[in-house]
Amino acid sequence: MSHSAQHSHLLHESTNRRQMLQSVASGFGYLALAGLCSETAANEAGTVAKQPHVTPRAKRIIFLFMHGGPSQVDTFDYKPRLQADDGKDLPFEPAMNLDPKTQRKLMRSPWKFQQHGQCGQWVSELFPHVAGHVDDLCLIHSMQTEGQSHGQAVMKLHTGDDTFVRPSVGAWVTYGLGSENLNLPGFITISPPRGHGGVRNYGSAFLPAQYQGTAIGSAGVPVSSAQIRYIQNDQVPPDLQRKQLDFLQSLNRDHLRRSDDDARIEGVIQSFELAFRMQSAAPKLTDLSDESVETLALYGIGTKETDDFGRQCLLARRCAEAGVRYIQVSHSFKWDQHGNLKGGHEKNAKEVDQPIAGLLADLKRRGLLDDTLVL
């Protein structure tokens, strides 16, 4: 190569290096800016973890809702005097909605109670599996309510109010703490109840819409066939979906600017973005095929009585592992035993006892029970 050719080659190489360095530097700056913008947007949307005022022990909640209300004196609230006074007249005024013609007699629990664990907690024979975990439980016996109907009770339990529309507990928790997984909702409700408040039990009310619960199935639908609706689109490839969504979101953001930052429109924008990201994460979350045979048996999956609720509890553990902040599991409206107490409660307890115990054991062996509050 001649001297002039060498000089030209070096000059060309130098220019390329200079251009490359400029381009790379700009690229790093662009990535940093994109990251900051993304993080800022995520923080504003409440989709990333927020720092609480105090250092918490619990990072997430799994709420197991027994719709209808298990009888406390037949499960975990042992009343020796009630056992002794069986058949005697009621020593106080009955509930106002009780038929005046009803015989007002005390009735002992038809199940035996026994002490369990190092703490010596009394548990009825309805819950033999849960009884093995009493040393990990905190039982509160002081709860009360002014309401006398299921609708009032369910709404008050989930939102703190039985009259006005208020955010659900899950919405408040997600609003306050954010999510640990950008590709999944911070609040998931599995087989939620349709009645006694319905969607208000996992709604966000006056909080931004992105804090409401995302439902998997609903009451009465076997969880084995329940999925998050419209989670996959087999008709359009992901890159084209992204282009379509970008166009739609540009219209939404223009609408948002013209509506003085309406929180409802902001909620729609965030929900669309989350739904797009969920396409890859959610199907994996709800697919139990990678769980071991031992784990499935631990939850009672494969056994007729415990299969459905066992699947719900296992799905709750998978949600907890994936960074979902608040997970609700709902047993169907079965616990309302005004009659046939013995048969009804025994059937219901058999459906949930092993799955609940399996969930506690599984969380504990994975190190998740230390920072998961199971309610």
Side-chain angles (χ1 to χ4, degrees):
M1 184 180 294
S2 67
H3 178 74
S4 60
Q6 286 180 337
H7 178 74
S8 175
H9 174 72
L10 290 173
L11 181 63
H12 179 68
E13 183 179 19
S14 175
T15 303
N16 284 348
R17 286 175 180 171
R18 189 178 300 113
Q19 291 173 341
M20 182 192 72
L21 288 172
Q22 289 176 341
S23 175
V24 168
S26 299
F28 286 147
Y30 172 78
L31 288 174
L33 177 60
L36 285 172
C37 291
S38 175
E39 185 176 345
T40 300
N43 272 299
E44 288 175 352
T47 53
V48 296
K50 301 177 183 179
Q51 294 302 314
H53 298 293
V54 295
T55 302
R57 178 178 173 185
K59 293 181 179 178
R60 67 197 68 84
I61 295 174
I62 299 176
F63 175 30
L64 307 175
F65 175 50
M66 306 294 113
H67 196 176
S71 165
Q72 74 274 22
V73 298
D74 295 307
T75 51
F76 301 97
D77 195 5
Y78 182 45
K79 302 291 188 185
R81 185 174 173 182
L82 181 61
Q83 301 294 104
D85 290 348
D86 180 50
K88 294 182 180 179
D89 291 333
L90 195 68
F92 50 81
E93 286 298 314
M96 288 185 292
N97 62 348
L98 188 66
D99 187 343
K101 298 179 182 178
T102 302
Q103 195 174 23
R104 301 173 183 181
K105 300 288 185 181
L106 295 173
M107 175 184 169
R108 68 176 178 84
S109 174
W111 296 282
K112 295 178 181 178
F113 278 74
Q114 185 177 339
Q115 289 178 290
H116 294 269
Q118 294 183 358
C119 64
Q121 172 63 45
W122 292 90
V123 181
S124 92
E125 57 186 330
L126 278 174
F127 287 91
H129 291 90
V130 174
H133 296 270
V134 290
D135 288 331
D136 292 319
L137 303 182
C138 173
L139 297 171
I140 301 173
H141 298 295
S142 57
M143 300 295 291
Q144 60 177 321
T145 182
E146 297 79 25
Q148 298 183 45
S149 69
H150 288 284
Q152 289 176 304
V154 173
M155 287 299 299
K156 193 141 190 171
L157 178 65
H158 286 81
T159 71
D161 202 300
D162 58 7
T163 305
F164 301 103
V165 178
R166 294 287 184 265
S168 59
V169 178
W172 276 120
V173 170
T174 311
Y175 174 76
L177 298 179
S179 177
E180 294 185 305
N181 189 329
L182 287 174
N183 297 323
L184 289 171
F187 176 13
I188 286 180
T189 177
I190 305 168
S191 300
R194 294 177 176 178
H196 298 145
V199 296
R200 286 170 58 183
N201 292 307
Y202 55 94
S204 58
F206 51 74
L207 294 178
Q210 63 262 31
Y211 299 112
Q212 66 186 339
T214 296
I216 300 179
S218 62
V221 178
V223 76
S224 58
S225 59
Q227 295 290 331
I228 300 174
R229 299 179 67 190
Y230 313 119
I231 194 62
Q232 289 179 307
N233 184 349
D234 299 328
Q235 307 297 318
V236 181
D239 57 339
L240 182 55
Q241 287 185 49
R242 183 67 258 182
K243 291 178 180 178
Q244 291 175 338
L245 181 60
D246 287 343
F247 174 68
L248 179 62
Q249 295 292 59
S250 68
L251 299 178
N252 286 334
R253 280 189 284 271
D254 183 58
H255 188 188
L256 181 65
R257 284 190 293 270
R258 289 185 284 106
S259 63
D260 296 326
D261 295 328
D262 189 321
R264 293 171 296 179
I265 301 173
E266 179 65 32
V268 168
I269 292 172
Q270 298 301 331
S271 295
F272 282 0
E273 290 294 341
L274 176 59
F276 180 79
R277 296 194 301 269
M278 282 172 61
Q279 289 183 97
S280 60
K284 297 176 184 177
L285 179 72
T286 57
D287 182 7
L288 307 184
S289 62
D290 60 346
E291 297 288 347
S292 68
V293 174
E294 183 274 334
T295 298
L296 297 176
L298 178 68
Y299 285 84
I301 297 172
T303 302
K304 181 179 179 181
E305 294 85 358
T306 53
D307 184 82
D308 193 71
F309 199 72
R311 289 176 182 274
Q312 293 185 56
C313 287
L314 178 53
L315 186 53
R317 188 222 78 202
R318 293 171 67 89
C319 288
E321 279 186 313
V324 179
R325 183 71 72 182
Y326 192 95
I327 308 117
Q328 175 159 338
V329 174
S330 297
H331 196 231
S332 295
F333 182 42
K334 297 181 177 181
W335 292 91
D336 187 20
Q337 268 77 60
H338 289 271
N340 190 27
L341 172 67
K342 195 170 190 305
H345 262 39
E346 284 179 353
K347 179 179 183 297
N348 296 336
K350 192 170 185 179
E351 290 178 359
V352 304
D353 177 43
Q354 183 182 347
I356 293 172
L359 173 63
L360 295 175
D362 204 13
L363 290 171
K364 193 167 188 177
R365 69 184 182 181
R366 292 168 183 268
L368 286 168
L369 193 59
D370 291 338
D371 53 15
T372 302
L373 178 63
V374 182
L375 177 60

